[in-house]
Amino acid sequence: MSALPASPTTYSLFDHLICSACRQPYTPAVLHTLSPCCHMPLLAQYTLTGGPDKRILLHREGTMWRYREVLPVFSAAHQISLGEGFTPMLGLNRLGAANGFSDLWLKDEGKNPTGSFKARGLSMAISKAHEYGVEGCIIPTAGNAGVAMAAYCARAAMQAVVVMPRHTPKAFQEECYWYGADVHLIDGLINDCAAKVRQLNSSGQWLDLSTLKEPYRIEGKKTMGYEIAEQMNWQLPDVILYPAGGGTGLIGIWKAFREMQQLGWLPADIRLPRMVAVQAENCQPLVDTWLGKQPNAQQYNGKPTLANGLAVPRPIGEPLMLNVLHESRGLTLGISEADMVDSVREIGKTEGVFLAPEGAALWTAARQLLRQGWLSATDRVLLLNTGNGQKYLDNLRPFLTD
Ligand SMILES: *Cc1c(COP(=O)(O)O)cnc(C)c1O
Ligand SMILES: [Zn+2]
């Protein structure tokens, strides 16, 4: 394991890591992967009580690095940034009014570098890797994470090895090439790519950036939670719909809300949003566990979906996602391929935003939940669009009509 130089001087309040299963603490002085104790994700912990006032944000840059005190990178010299974060928060007034919603919002993560919210996680993970002196990284990916890793590795002068399913739209494969990454195509889903990663990396020469197998991607993703609060002037939505694959975004946003309560940036007794994890019917391990059809997702078999980022059949973060759904009084549901396509088109032509199918699935889910009475017309509802539709043209082309 690489070690950090002794006692960095820093603005970061990052203190230690804990095992998400048993809370065993670990030092951040060395680079970690899964917890040695339980083989589960590690979570960064900060010294938040007595932390800074949220007024520090007033004159900060419009990127996720504006939250540097609650991020794990110790020195600005190690920030590997392409301007990620602080994405638009758009009111969907026309779409909302036409469908019975009076307070409907979209946070558009498709505006990030490399076209998805994966930029946040990979910017953070590569920055930390850079801080520890890592020289190369490897990742199994459904598409967006690989592209983001390739870009940030290029910027950090690190080697990048990306393993993705052969059926991934060409835009993802080719963009990795232009960033100088070594790309491997696999017949199968992301779990098959993960097996290939283990084989390619048997000597451990590259840092494995698989979802939640290193502790820092989630720290980048959590900045979405900080932004939601700040951009909504600290009045949180009643409900957040999120397209869940590996789950780092869902878990990260919730972690951010808890941290802001500890910091005093949000009242301790605030009513936090109900979190809805939206999946693709073709690959809905979380839904099946939620409905009691299986004890957990460890044996789940998924099929490919137009929403490539949701094809994660056996997410290691499943227990953490389920916790968020229970604590927030949320739920999970699966959306059909045809409904996603309809929603891409409806949002495109009504609001001028080209959503990834993952994000479009949220709109179908919101309408279903309103119809069922789980949502009410006056709820402030936030759709978190995770990616840009432009990368998915190969997937969507068969649905072009006249
Ligand atoms: C990866 C991805 C997801 C799933 O994100 P998780 O945080 O891993 O649950 C959703 N949408 C898009 C566009 C993605 O690339
Ligand atoms: Zn443990």
Side-chain angles (χ1 to χ4, degrees):
M1 272 188 269
S2 315
L4 281 182
S7 60
T9 48
T10 182
Y11 39 71
S12 171
L13 301 171
F14 180 30
D15 188 64
H16 62 283
L17 295 155
I18 55 166
C19 168
S20 60
C22 75
R23 308 194 76 77
Q24 165 87 23
Y26 291 93
T27 170
V30 292
L31 186 53
H32 295 278
T33 52
L34 289 175
S35 69
C37 47
C38 305
H39 220 62
M40 285 298 282
L42 287 167
L43 298 173
Q45 304 293 298
Y46 299 78
T47 309
L48 297 172
T49 39
D53 189 276
K54 62 184 178 239
R55 277 189 304 248
I56 57 165
L57 301 175
L58 281 177
H59 301 290
R60 292 276 172 90
E61 71 270 40
T63 73
M64 70 176 187
W65 297 98
R66 65 197 282 104
Y67 307 108
R68 62 191 188 203
E69 284 82 0
V70 289
L71 298 178
V73 175
F74 289 122
S75 148
H78 294 292
Q79 288 176 11
I80 307 297
S81 173
L82 292 164
E84 52 291 325
F86 228 64
T87 52
M89 178 71 81
L90 305 172
L92 299 182
N93 302 337
R94 236 158 59 77
L95 187 71
N99 290 275
F101 292 89
S102 61
D103 204 0
L104 183 66
W105 296 84
L106 178 86
K107 187 160 173 63
D108 190 11
E109 290 291 303
K111 299 296 187 289
N112 275 301
T114 74
S116 84
F117 75 144
K118 292 294 197 303
R120 297 178 188 262
L122 273 305
S123 171
M124 195 64 63
I126 298 295
S127 296
K128 279 307 277 184
H130 189 250
E131 200 160 65
Y132 290 108
V134 170
E135 290 176 355
C137 298
I138 189 167
I139 196 167
T141 175
N144 278 314
V147 178
M149 192 193 85
Y152 289 98
C153 278
R155 195 148 165 89
M158 284 183 206
Q159 281 188 328
V161 182
V162 175
V163 184
M164 69 171 71
R166 198 177 302 282
H167 65 255
T168 312
K170 290 279 184 294
F172 295 98
Q173 305 175 14
E174 291 176 13
E175 192 171 339
C176 290
Y177 167 84
W178 297 113
Y179 295 133
D182 183 10
V183 180
H184 297 257
L185 301 177
I186 298 298
D187 295 308
L189 294 181
I190 194 169
N191 49 322
D192 306 296
C193 297
K196 180 69 176 180
V197 163
R198 283 192 292 275
Q199 184 202 329
L200 289 170
N201 199 30
S202 56
S203 67
Q205 61 176 310
W206 295 298
L207 175 64
D208 182 347
L209 292 182
S210 301
T211 299
L212 292 169
K213 289 190 182 162
E214 63 75 53
Y216 302 114
R217 276 176 65 185
I218 185 174
E219 293 303 296
K221 292 276 191 85
K222 87 177 178 191
T223 57
M224 291 187 290
Y226 281 89
E227 280 174 32
I228 291 167
E230 190 183 357
Q231 290 176 320
M232 293 192 145
N233 200 20
W234 314 98
Q235 306 290 311
L236 296 179
D238 296 300
V239 176
I240 298 176
L241 292 98
Y242 178 87
T248 41
L250 186 77
I251 302 159
I253 290 170
W254 195 250
K255 184 173 190 281
F257 292 156
R258 294 298 193 200
E259 288 176 0
M260 284 185 280
Q261 286 181 300
Q262 277 181 274
L263 278 164
W265 292 8
L266 289 174
D269 60 355
I270 193 175
R271 202 175 169 81
L272 293 177
R274 290 180 281 159
M275 304 293 289
V276 178
V278 177
Q279 301 214 290
E281 271 178 14
N282 278 3
C283 189
Q284 51 167 32
L286 204 61
V287 176
D288 280 17
T289 303
W290 185 256
L291 298 177
K293 293 187 184 165
Q294 56 186 16
N296 57 53
Q298 284 164 26
Q299 305 296 323
Y300 186 87
N301 288 309
K303 289 184 290 197
T305 155
L306 298 169
N308 298 75
L310 302 187
V312 184
R314 300 172 188 180
I316 190 169
E318 182 184 34
L320 297 171
M321 285 194 270
L322 292 170
N323 260 351
V324 172
L325 300 186
H326 284 299
E327 266 187 48
S328 73
R329 299 160 298 113
L331 53 75
T332 175
L333 75 174
I335 301 299
S336 75
E337 303 286 289
D339 281 341
M340 287 181 209
V341 174
D342 288 348
S343 285
V344 170
R345 174 101 163 122
E346 192 181 4
I347 298 180
K349 70 183 186 190
T350 313
E351 297 285 359
V353 188
F354 190 17
L355 272 63
E358 290 87 338
L362 307 176
W363 175 232
T364 311
R367 275 175 303 166
Q368 286 182 8
L369 293 172
L370 183 67
R371 215 177 308 126
Q372 293 163 14
W374 193 85
L375 283 177
S376 73
T378 55
D379 279 335
R380 172 174 287 188
V381 176
L382 175 63
L383 312 178
L384 211 148
N385 174 47
T386 42
N388 192 315
Q390 288 164 2
K391 293 255 171 77
Y392 297 77
L393 294 176
D394 291 349
N395 286 358
L396 295 171
R397 194 164 299 116
F399 300 91
L400 288 172
T401 50
D402 33 69

